[in-house]
Amino acid sequence: MERLIGTVSRGVRAPIIRQGDDLVQIVADSVLKAAESEGFELRDKDVVAVTEAVVARAQGNYATIEQIAKDVHDRVGDDTVGIIFPILSRNRFSICLKGIAMGCKKVVLMLSYPSDEVGNHLITPEQLDESGVNPWSDVLTEERYRELFGYRKHQFTGVDYVEYYKKLIEDAGAEVSIIFANNPKAILDYTKTVLNCDIHTRARTKKLLLNSGAEKVISLDEILTKSVDGSGYNDSYGLLGSNKATEESVKLFPINCGEFVRNVQKKLMDSTGKHIEVMVYGDGAFKDPVGKIWELADPVVSPAYTDGLEGTPNEVKLKYLADNDFADLSGEELKSAISDYIREKDEKAENLTGNMVSQGTTPRRLTDLIGSLCDLTSGSGDKGTPIVLIQGYFDNYTK
């Protein structure tokens, strides 16, 4: 009988991971025990994905606010520092901001509006429209912002992020003034030393500032790129991708992930004889249509993956074939014709980019698609499934 199930994504439970744990062994054991417990077999081209949080935790990749402060102060000295375009997040940025402010004497905090880079809104677009403010050109002081919009709390968190961030900076011992602008060059009217905190637009922001007269521009991916007083670090992403660990420390994005995924792949091959792909995943790349939040607050969806996950899907649209090429067929005859078409495509290894038969398929990297599936499967709460096993992802209609 033909197999009637396509892609299956399973959250795999694992022990609570602590620093120093042998995560390679834990991942392999957890997947194997899950297969035995649930009565399914592992197959070639299955995907085992591990959340970045437990990888970093096993590595002990943490930093305190004092260590962040030292790295910042070593770079900016006693300059007034423009901290621009931070995301509005207690989990993602508040502890980083504490450490950054501890390393500064005076801060000009510049917030984008009506929302941050990933869609957390200070105000709604409708409120902005009603104010008559031009977000592309107008720079607002804190006083003017309050006159226009008052004190508004985030719809999900109940936090007034303007007040929250201001108090964090003051409590860290720095003077602070707040402005609102969307043009990064606006900060240069206040200081020529800038820490740009945007994630996916950071390279462009830094280039614009340096070309416009900034004297010193540092991005979050340049803070803690090496150990400071025994801290963790990330040589590629610095503070980007970090999360709150405690009120005084952050967990950094994991390092050496390439070695980790290859070791897990080898361990599973030795145990099963199957060639299983492995990846580390963080935030998925998708947007919430209600809250308007774009989930991707990490610098990348996947910091490392095995070779078989490189590339993008190369698929045809079944409904296009059914409505066009084989519009005169139905039933088993239609199924046979479409199956033959797909087999021929696979045998030729034909690249379908730009071909009408692939229109409507998802032109995204495999790791971004699979990582998003994993993030949705594992969730971010108390499911206890930091490992995700995906089967059948690379199957098509002919399998």
Side-chain angles (χ1 to χ4, degrees):
M1 181 178 178
E2 65 179 326
R3 182 156 58 88
L4 299 179
I5 301 297
T7 300
V8 175
S9 180
R10 292 180 174 91
V12 176
R13 289 187 174 153
I16 301 299
I17 306 301
R18 296 295 189 188
Q19 180 176 346
D21 285 349
D22 184 350
L23 191 58
V24 171
Q25 189 67 55
I26 290 172
V27 170
D29 287 347
S30 297
V31 171
L32 293 171
K33 288 175 182 176
E36 181 181 2
S37 171
E38 298 299 314
F40 61 85
E41 293 184 358
L42 298 174
R43 303 191 293 262
D44 288 328
K45 295 298 287 184
D46 285 353
V47 180
V48 168
V50 185
T51 180
E52 58 83 20
V54 297
V55 180
R57 193 181 304 145
Q59 294 172 344
N61 204 19
Y62 293 84
T64 66
I65 55 176
E66 290 82 9
Q67 291 162 336
I68 295 171
K70 184 177 188 305
D71 201 10
V72 169
H73 189 264
D74 286 347
R75 294 166 183 271
V76 303
D78 294 333
D79 294 351
T80 296
V81 180
I83 299 176
I84 73 170
F85 299 158
I87 63 172
L88 307 173
S89 173
R90 294 169 298 174
N91 175 45
R92 285 291 190 169
F93 192 71
S94 65
I95 309 304
C96 292
L97 181 59
K98 266 190 185 182
I100 291 167
M102 283 179 63
C104 302
K105 285 194 170 182
K106 185 174 181 180
V107 165
V108 180
L109 178 65
M110 190 172 93
L111 301 174
S112 56
Y113 70 98
S115 70
D116 67 10
E117 178 185 1
V118 297
N120 291 298
H121 279 75
L122 290 169
I123 53 175
T124 67
E126 290 77 16
Q127 289 163 345
L128 179 62
D129 293 340
E130 292 167 4
S131 73
V133 170
N134 184 340
W136 306 111
S137 59
D138 292 353
V139 178
L140 307 179
T141 63
E142 182 182 359
E143 293 72 23
R144 181 57 176 156
Y145 173 85
R146 293 301 191 190
E147 286 175 11
L148 289 166
F149 306 112
Y151 289 77
R152 297 188 178 274
K153 295 182 178 180
H154 191 278
Q155 68 178 113
F156 293 147
T157 64
V159 173
D160 179 332
Y161 279 97
V162 178
E163 189 64 30
Y164 178 53
Y165 277 7
K166 182 177 183 178
K167 189 173 188 307
L168 279 177
I169 295 170
E170 290 174 339
D171 288 350
E175 296 179 46
V176 58
S177 58
I178 300 177
I179 62 173
F180 302 80
N182 293 311
N183 185 338
K185 293 184 284 187
I187 194 65
L188 299 180
D189 291 335
Y190 300 83
T191 178
K192 298 295 191 290
T193 299
V194 183
L195 174 58
N196 66 298
C197 302
D198 43 340
I199 305 165
H200 306 290
T201 55
R202 63 189 183 275
R204 177 176 180 268
T205 296
K206 185 172 186 177
K207 182 178 179 181
L208 285 171
L209 288 168
L210 289 172
N211 289 343
S212 300
E215 295 171 0
K216 193 181 298 181
V217 183
I218 304 162
S219 301
L220 280 185
D221 60 356
E222 297 174 286
I223 304 297
L224 288 186
T225 56
K226 58 184 180 181
S227 181
V228 174
D229 291 343
S231 73
Y233 68 96
N234 190 298
D235 50 353
S236 297
Y237 300 115
L239 279 179
L240 288 180
S242 61
N243 291 85
K244 176 180 179 178
T246 69
E247 295 298 331
E248 307 296 323
S249 65
V250 296
K251 175 194 64 60
L252 300 170
F253 217 43
I255 57 176
N256 302 326
C257 293
E259 178 182 3
F260 170 74
V261 296
R262 290 189 293 272
N263 287 342
V264 173
Q265 185 180 56
K266 183 178 185 305
K267 181 73 70 174
L268 290 169
M269 171 64 82
D270 292 344
S271 299
T272 67
K274 304 298 182 182
H275 185 89
I276 295 170
E277 304 296 344
V278 182
M279 67 183 291
V280 174
Y281 70 96
D283 273 352
F286 49 85
K287 185 173 182 177
D288 172 19
V290 176
K292 311 302 181 186
I293 298 170
W294 181 34
E295 179 68 10
L296 188 55
D298 285 326
V300 291
V301 173
S302 175
Y305 46 88
T306 49
D307 292 344
L309 298 178
E310 187 63 66
T312 58
N314 191 48
E315 300 172 345
V316 297
K317 198 75 169 180
L318 294 188
K319 66 181 181 181
Y320 181 88
L321 291 174
D323 290 343
N324 291 271
D325 296 52
F326 307 118
D328 57 332
L329 304 179
S330 62
E332 285 300 318
E333 192 176 9
L334 174 60
K335 179 180 178 180
S336 178
I338 289 179
S339 296
D340 289 343
Y341 189 103
I342 294 172
R343 289 190 192 96
E344 184 178 356
K345 177 262 296 185
D346 288 346
E347 289 170 2
K348 291 181 178 178
E350 179 183 1
N351 187 336
L352 298 174
T353 301
N355 192 313
M356 286 296 287
V357 77
S358 68
Q359 65 178 328
T361 58
T362 309
R364 293 168 58 190
R365 294 188 303 177
L366 288 167
T367 51
D368 293 341
L369 292 164
I370 297 171
S372 297
L373 174 58
C374 292
D375 191 24
L376 289 166
T377 300
S378 62
S380 58
D382 58 6
K383 288 184 173 63
T385 54
I387 304 163
V388 176
L389 171 66
I390 299 173
Q391 297 189 293
Y393 191 85
F394 294 98
D395 287 0
N396 59 39
Y397 191 60
T398 68
K399 304 299 182 183

